[in-house]
Amino acid sequence: MKPFFVQIKCTLGKAYQVATAIADAEIASEIYSTAGGFDLLVKFYLPEGEDVGHFINEKVHVIPDIVDTYTIITFRAF
């Protein structure tokens, strides 16, 4: 499994609803609220060879009240 992280910016006042929608979809490993330019930090796993871009487009961007995302691809855990 390949881990990657997505920072998510939400419509003002909707971070908890977005986090709940992600949790309800059962697509994330971990979901954190954050301060700064993004509202949420979400950890996902995909099987090796699956396309991260398609996953984000088809599973994450369809969730209401997501305004912007920033994907962080990981290489190796230490």
Side-chain angles (χ1 to χ4, degrees):
M1 296 292 273
K2 175 175 47 174
F4 64 99
F5 297 83
V6 179
Q7 292 178 292
I8 298 175
K9 187 178 296 184
C10 305
T11 302
L12 289 176
K14 298 294 184 175
Y16 284 83
Q17 288 90 332
V18 171
T20 299
I22 293 168
D24 289 347
E26 297 182 355
I27 57 173
S29 169
E30 301 167 44
I31 306 166
Y32 299 95
S33 60
T34 59
F38 289 86
D39 303 301
L40 301 172
L41 176 65
V42 184
K43 184 176 185 181
F44 296 99
Y45 284 95
L46 277 181
E48 292 293 331
E50 288 209 17
D51 188 273
V52 172
H54 279 117
F55 177 85
I56 296 297
N57 209 26
E58 296 169 3
K59 303 289 186 181
V60 178
H61 286 167
V62 298
I63 295 172
D65 294 310
I66 291 179
V67 175
D68 194 13
T69 60
Y70 183 81
T71 302
I72 302 165
I73 305 296
T74 60
F75 298 109
R76 180 178 175 183
F78 294 95

